Amino acid sequence: MASAYERTQNLKPAPRKGVCQDGREVQLYANFYRMKFDSRVTAYHYDLDIEPTCPKFLRRKLIHEFAQKYKSTVFKNALPVYDGNKNLYSSVELPVGSDPTVLDVSLCESEESKSRDYKIKIKYAAHIDMSCLEQVLRGDGYGDVPQETLLVADIVIRYFPSLRFVVAGKSVYQPPQGRDKYQLGDSTELWKGAYTSVRPTLWGLAMNIDESHTAFYEAQPVLDFMTKTFKLNNLTNNYTLKDSDRMVLKKELKYLKVTVRHQAHKRQYRVEDLTKLPANRIHFDVNGKKTSIVDYFQSQYNYRIQFPNLPCLWVSPKAKNTFLPIEVCDIVEGQRCVRKLTDVETRTMIRATAKKPHIRKQGIDEQTKLMGFQRDPHLRQFGLSVDNNMVQVKGRVIQPPKMGYANQQSVQAQGGVWDSRGKGFYNPAHIRNWAVLMFPPQNHCRTEDVKAFCDALIKFGGQNGMKINQPGFVKYLREHDIERVLQEMKRNGQPIDLVYCILPRNSSVAYQRVKHVFENQNAISTQCMEMRNLKPVKPQTVGNILQKINAKIGGTNTIAVDLMSIPLFKKPVIIFGADNAHPAQGEGNKPSVAAVVASVDKFACRYTTQTSLQATDGKKTHSPIIEQMQEMVKKLLIKFYQTVKVKPQRIIFYRDGISEGQFYHVMMYEVDAIRKACASLEQGYQPPITFIVAQKRHHTRLFVQNPRDGDRSGNVPAGTVVDTGIVSPVEFDFYLNSHQGIQGTNKPAKYHVLLDENQMPVDMVTKLTYGLCHVYARCTRSVSVPAPTYYARLATDRGRTHLNSSKWDSSDGASSIVSSDREETQRNLAEIIKDISPHEATKNKMYWI
């Protein structure tokens, strides 16, 4: 018998098995546009090296100037395309060999700036036979076809728009004009644009286009930016920044491009730092004489510094020690805001971009016209063309499951929702000893209001089958009193089932502290609620809270009855969900938080968790794989056996948090880890594995052709499956919109079945996936991805919350996690894990609900 490793080495992505047959047909639009291409075209790839180093924001302009200057000599009147980094492609072979050819070109950064001379070294790299795309479209093996063919098509598609618009990743954005301007925050504004990606589909080559929105910094004087940041109404000439404020401003301005107003030539600079000293205390030598920046500007530019006590911008290259007073600098237009948006900016962004489906479809069509594909000469040179109209595709709306409750009651889910009123929890938990802690002061959070809310919990809990006693401990406290109050609670010697905490609004610090002390250190379940929900007592609010409490302390709210009729469940099945959450940009070398959850009941409704941390490689590169997968899966398999009293005979694994380019690498490592975990428990124990990737980070949108086919919000109905036309020509993938639209346009989840040793038919995979979207314990609605995937994401969020509140949150601490010594790095990780991990008993609960 082949070993686990040998079996893994022979893995290939699961092939397409057919199409979904269940349910009723529905006619849809998808935001794809068919493409034609000339397979006879060859693309020639050339490497570029620019000296001196050209700022990234100028490279496209420089290479366009380069192509124009040498159009007839080097480029033979062809139109090359450029990716913005080091790669140039031409549809004709250039008179350039594998040894670099050096050519000169000059560029003015702006109309008001001096020109600068550059040397461009160009050399031949490779040629790409575009007929390879035909292999993809014929289904001869996506993984075996050079991906550079699709990469070239992507670069060609985006090049013409990039000459007119601002490029950010795979999107291009247009500066907002007039009434299109939309302020997000004090210094940020919303820009609209288009995302494009060339995709191989069952119908041939197609382009996925979506309306894209992101935050950009508003073009303004840096002085205005500073006053808005610190809410300064009257800025006096002797104003001085506190050191803490200077650090905040430094973080906001770092890497932004600025221009200056004191010179005739509007040169651009990139901010590297802020000086610690103010302008009037920074001195340097001029002709052997020390002078201050204030005096220098007065003598050299006849400019009197108005705010001499403010620090200066330290601009690149930093080694040259170029310092610019804040008041003479302006933030350049067209710079994307890459930091995490504030809560206000996020709410404003959601309000501005949540568009009804028909409006979003109209916006996508408008963006497609703005891109100018029909008049793009570069497309013609490379033998490409794009259709004007969105594709029409057939979908199927599959039947939702019945939801089971106590006493064999059930209710049919319809359109992603169901009514559970009058039905008790399938398995209600009981609360014998619990405490209520109030963090707001008593004059804001009145005792009688707390009593009324607790009585409502007891009453409605009883209607759901829960037996809830009156709270045995009620106390007002502050954040620093938590440990002392916990010791008071423990004195009566009875186990504490639940601690219910009432918090002030937006009290993230108190929330983190409550979770850390009670759940991480003492394995006591908690439920937090903001004081604004205390009164008036709303039955819906109480009902939602009871669903969370019942799931946390061991109960089961409901089951998807129809799941049990799937032949897959004739043998014991364990359902896994996994996610690997990486730190946001700007969070330094913080570790990634990985979580794996697994079902521990026969209905796939109760889950337990394992979490881990993963350090970067020292270059802020985060591995997509879950490195501790083997040990985590092993512990979860043991827990399943301890709870269900039988070994799982099938494994279904839903994986979140990876992109298409990582599929094969992740599958190879993690499937091997799962197999080794099984083999470590018992010789010959190798249950069949189905490994499915669930993706929400994509740009596919679906629209009903007939409004009568949509739900109340105008979106495609819950249960809509698309597995024809726009999907992969060879791999087993499909789209599923599993939730009801609330606001804006729904994004269906995309599923890739990478491995299917359980030999599940298409209809079984879609039915299982859709059913699992209904067992999410927080609400009586189906959600956008299967519950185990959602739970893994919640567990990583909780891990990141604890990480952010730990001593490793500071920039110094975060950067000290990674060491050149691997053993030291592992020791650091071990210390963090000990500091932030849930108590072992807490891991067996659904604490993240």
Side-chain angles (χ1 to χ4, degrees):
M1 182 176 179
S3 69
Y5 177 77
E6 289 170 337
R7 290 172 64 195
T8 304
Q9 289 302 297
N10 296 322
L11 284 182
K12 288 186 177 181
R16 181 166 299 285
K17 297 182 177 181
V19 296
C20 178
Q21 302 291 335
D22 286 349
R24 60 181 174 88
E25 188 175 286
V26 62
Q27 301 296 323
L28 307 169
Y29 292 108
N31 59 335
F32 285 73
Y33 296 76
R34 294 198 190 198
M35 297 178 66
K36 294 179 181 178
F37 73 99
D38 186 346
S39 61
R40 296 169 298 178
V41 170
T42 297
Y44 296 91
H45 176 200
Y46 298 90
D47 283 342
L48 300 180
D49 191 23
I50 304 170
E51 293 181 356
T53 302
C54 180
K56 190 172 183 179
F57 65 91
L58 283 176
R59 288 180 200 159
R60 291 181 186 275
K61 188 175 180 181
L62 176 67
I63 299 305
H64 181 66
E65 191 74 22
F66 169 61
Q68 291 298 310
K69 180 176 179 179
Y70 297 99
K71 182 176 181 179
S72 60
T73 54
V74 175
F75 293 102
K76 300 180 180 179
N77 292 316
L79 297 172
V81 296
Y82 173 59
D83 73 344
N85 291 306
K86 298 188 68 172
N87 304 295
L88 181 138
Y89 297 87
S90 171
S91 60
V92 299
E93 190 171 6
L94 307 182
V96 171
S98 55
D99 292 326
T101 297
V102 182
L103 299 166
D104 297 319
V105 66
S106 298
L107 178 70
C108 295
E109 291 185 10
S110 66
E111 294 179 359
E112 302 166 318
S113 64
K114 291 181 180 178
S115 65
R116 192 176 185 189
D117 296 330
Y118 291 92
K119 290 187 182 298
I120 297 180
K121 297 178 181 178
I122 179 171
K123 65 178 181 178
Y124 171 81
H127 68 275
I128 298 99
D129 182 0
M130 298 301 284
S131 66
C132 290
L133 280 174
E134 286 188 322
Q135 298 178 37
V136 177
L137 305 177
R138 287 199 307 263
D140 291 348
Y142 188 15
D144 299 324
V145 175
Q147 291 297 296
E148 197 161 23
T149 55
L150 296 178
L151 177 64
V152 171
D154 262 333
I155 293 168
V156 174
I157 282 288
R158 277 193 289 273
Y159 185 70
F160 186 54
S162 76
L163 299 177
R164 297 169 291 140
F165 305 128
V166 177
V167 180
K170 288 191 172 185
S171 299
V172 294
Y173 296 92
Q174 308 100 37
Q177 304 294 331
R179 280 189 283 180
D180 288 338
K181 277 187 172 287
Y182 201 100
Q183 204 74 25
L184 288 179
D186 290 331
S187 298
T188 52
E189 58 190 12
L190 182 68
W191 284 32
K192 183 168 69 173
Y195 165 92
T196 60
S197 178
V198 177
R199 310 286 303 170
T201 72
L202 280 171
W203 284 335
L205 206 61
M207 182 167 56
N208 178 210
I209 305 181
D210 191 21
E211 203 174 51
S212 184
H213 302 85
T214 195
F216 277 75
Y217 287 103
E218 184 182 359
Q220 61 185 312
V222 175
L223 197 63
D224 289 354
F225 181 91
M226 184 191 78
T227 57
K228 291 175 183 177
T229 300
F230 299 116
K231 307 289 189 292
L232 304 172
N233 295 323
N234 298 308
L235 190 63
T236 59
N237 295 95
N238 61 355
Y239 181 79
T240 303
L241 272 182
K242 295 184 295 185
D243 194 57
S244 58
D245 287 344
R246 185 186 66 82
M247 295 299 292
V248 169
L249 188 61
K250 168 189 168 181
K251 188 175 181 180
E252 289 285 340
L253 290 173
K254 193 169 185 179
Y255 303 136
L256 285 186
K257 301 189 295 284
V258 296
T259 57
V260 292
R261 277 180 273 119
H262 65 286
Q263 294 175 322
H265 299 294
K266 300 285 187 181
R267 184 181 171 186
Q268 293 189 9
Y269 299 88
R270 191 176 78 158
V271 179
E272 293 286 344
D273 204 344
L274 253 64
T275 60
K276 292 183 179 180
L277 296 176
N280 60 4
R281 292 178 57 194
I282 298 175
H283 294 80
F284 57 96
D285 287 333
V286 177
N287 298 326
K289 181 181 177 182
K290 274 198 174 293
T291 185
S292 70
I293 285 181
V294 172
D295 293 338
Y296 180 79
F297 268 71
Q298 182 69 57
S299 61
Q300 185 73 15
Y301 305 110
N302 194 27
Y303 182 92
R304 180 173 171 271
I305 301 295
Q306 302 295 312
F307 300 94
N309 292 322
L310 289 178
C312 292
L313 304 184
W314 193 343
V315 297
S316 61
K318 198 171 182 181
K320 287 191 174 182
N321 289 332
T322 303
F323 306 123
L324 300 173
I326 282 177
E327 64 190 75
V328 303
C329 298
D330 295 327
I331 294 174
V332 176
E333 183 183 61
Q335 299 184 78
R336 190 160 64 106
C337 179
V338 295
R339 63 164 170 79
K340 184 180 179 182
L341 298 183
T342 66
D343 291 342
V344 171
E345 289 170 330
T346 301
R347 286 195 297 269
T348 308
M349 171 84 82
I350 292 171
R351 281 198 301 269
T353 59
K355 301 177 181 178
K356 293 289 186 183
H358 70 281
I359 297 175
R360 181 153 193 137
K361 180 181 181 298
Q362 180 182 338
I364 294 171
D365 285 333
E366 289 173 356
Q367 288 295 325
T368 304
K369 292 176 184 176
L370 275 174
M371 298 287 278
F373 297 126
Q374 306 310 316
R375 63 180 190 277
D376 186 343
H378 303 84
L379 281 180
R380 291 194 293 272
Q381 288 252 318
F382 284 85
L384 297 167
S385 64
V386 182
D387 193 69
N388 286 324
N389 302 308
M390 270 192 196
V391 300
Q392 300 180 37
V393 64
K394 292 179 181 179
R396 300 198 72 84
V397 182
I398 61 177
Q399 182 71 12
K402 284 184 180 179
M403 307 308 297
Y405 286 89
N407 303 318
Q408 297 185 333
Q409 289 182 303
S410 65
V411 59
Q412 180 66 55
Q414 289 291 349
V417 296
W418 62 95
D419 188 353
S420 64
R421 286 176 295 183
K423 299 170 181 64
F425 291 144
Y426 183 83
N427 178 26
H430 305 308
I431 304 176
R432 296 174 178 80
N433 183 30
W434 62 299
V436 180
L437 304 182
M438 294 85 71
F439 287 80
Q442 191 168 356
N443 59 334
H444 291 162
C445 182
R446 299 188 306 167
T447 305
E448 53 268 34
D449 294 331
V450 175
K451 177 71 165 60
F453 192 87
C454 291
D455 289 343
L457 280 176
I458 294 169
K459 174 186 173 183
F460 289 110
Q463 293 175 2
N464 282 288
M466 299 178 71
K467 295 178 181 178
I468 306 176
N469 295 338
Q470 286 289 337
F473 189 93
V474 180
K475 194 173 186 67
Y476 290 91
L477 75 163
R478 301 286 181 87
E479 293 165 18
H480 59 268
D481 296 325
I482 292 176
E483 285 87 349
R484 178 181 58 78
V485 170
L486 173 62
Q487 296 308 314
E488 286 183 39
M489 293 163 53
K490 286 182 173 181
R491 282 183 193 137
N492 65 14
Q494 295 181 9
I496 303 167
D497 298 323
L498 177 73
V499 174
Y500 198 98
C501 298
I502 301 172
L503 304 176
R505 190 165 191 169
N506 298 326
S507 182
S508 59
V509 175
Y511 175 86
Q512 293 166 358
R513 193 72 189 137
V514 164
K515 297 297 181 182
H516 182 73
V517 171
F518 289 105
E519 294 184 351
N520 285 20
Q521 296 182 339
N522 292 276
I524 299 173
S525 297
T526 64
Q527 177 61 50
C528 295
M529 179 185 78
E530 288 190 351
M531 191 184 70
R532 62 192 174 96
N533 292 315
L534 184 61
K535 67 173 187 176
V537 175
K538 297 178 181 178
Q540 184 176 354
T541 300
V542 176
N544 289 340
I545 291 171
L546 283 168
Q547 288 186 95
K548 296 175 72 173
I549 290 174
N550 189 56
K552 285 181 180 182
I553 62 177
T556 301
N557 298 341
T558 184
I559 64 170
V561 178
D562 297 356
L563 281 185
M564 299 303 103
S565 65
I566 298 177
L568 181 79
F569 285 89
K570 288 182 178 179
K571 294 181 179 180
V573 179
I574 184 169
I575 312 283
F576 285 92
D579 191 17
N580 191 6
H582 306 304
Q585 189 168 353
E587 290 190 325
N589 287 339
K590 279 187 180 179
S592 301
V593 181
V596 182
V597 304
S599 59
V600 287
D601 69 339
K602 65 179 182 179
F603 303 113
C605 290
R606 296 284 313 160
Y607 289 81
T608 186
T609 317
Q610 288 292 318
T611 57
S612 68
L613 296 179
Q614 297 176 190
T616 67
D617 61 2
K619 300 176 183 178
K620 301 184 181 179
T621 301
H622 298 272
S623 172
I625 64 173
I626 297 177
E627 296 168 357
Q628 303 299 317
M629 180 68 81
Q630 180 178 339
E631 187 61 26
M632 296 164 81
V633 168
K634 179 180 177 179
K635 291 179 179 178
L636 293 170
L637 288 169
I638 292 172
K639 188 62 184 177
F640 181 95
Y641 180 78
Q642 292 173 340
T643 307
V644 185
K645 309 304 181 187
V646 65
K647 293 180 297 185
Q649 297 301 307
R650 303 183 194 271
I651 293 176
I652 310 295
F653 203 102
Y654 285 94
R655 180 66 156 89
D656 191 12
I658 55 175
S659 61
E660 288 184 17
Q662 300 166 338
F663 281 178
Y664 190 70
H665 175 55
V666 170
M667 178 180 69
M668 288 287 291
Y669 181 92
E670 295 186 359
V671 170
D672 182 53
I674 295 167
R675 285 176 171 158
K676 287 177 178 176
C678 295
S680 69
L681 294 173
E682 182 180 297
Q683 187 176 0
Y685 177 53
Q686 288 293 314
I689 301 167
T690 297
F691 194 92
I692 304 172
V693 175
Q695 284 186 308
K696 287 287 283 184
R697 296 181 184 92
H698 63 80
H699 286 267
T700 298
R701 295 292 190 279
L702 303 172
F703 308 94
V704 291
Q705 292 186 28
N706 188 335
R708 288 178 298 182
D709 288 331
D711 64 14
R712 289 187 302 176
S713 66
N715 279 287
V716 297
T720 299
V721 175
V722 173
D723 60 356
T724 63
I726 61 173
V727 294
S728 167
V730 288
E731 295 176 0
F732 185 0
D733 64 342
F734 62 93
Y735 294 94
L736 168 62
N737 180 74
S738 56
H739 60 297
Q740 185 186 68
I742 298 176
Q743 69 170 355
T745 304
N746 278 9
K747 181 191 287 188
K750 186 177 184 181
Y751 298 91
H752 297 257
V753 183
L754 298 186
L755 176 68
D756 184 26
E757 294 178 339
N758 288 291
Q759 298 296 308
M760 298 167 65
V762 173
D763 288 328
M764 186 185 294
V765 176
T766 55
K767 185 175 182 179
L768 171 67
T769 302
Y770 189 36
L772 289 171
C773 293
H774 287 74
V775 297
Y776 183 62
R778 281 184 171 183
C779 56
T780 54
R781 287 177 172 271
S782 57
V783 289
S784 60
V785 291
T789 311
Y790 216 133
Y791 292 157
R793 195 178 303 167
L794 291 176
T796 61
D797 288 345
R798 178 63 63 82
R800 293 182 68 179
T801 295
H802 289 309
L803 183 65
N804 292 339
S805 64
S806 73
K807 65 183 179 181
W808 302 94
D809 183 47
S810 69
S811 58
D812 291 338
S815 62
S816 67
I817 293 172
V818 178
S819 167
S820 57
D821 183 347
R822 180 172 176 79
E823 289 186 5
E824 184 179 344
T825 298
Q826 293 304 316
R827 285 195 298 271
N828 290 340
L829 276 179
E831 187 177 343
I832 307 171
I833 292 170
K834 184 179 178 181
D835 188 36
I836 73 168
S837 289
H839 192 284
E840 279 302 316
T842 299
K843 291 178 183 178
N844 297 328
K845 303 176 183 178
M846 295 170 65
Y847 63 91
W848 18 258
I849 285 291

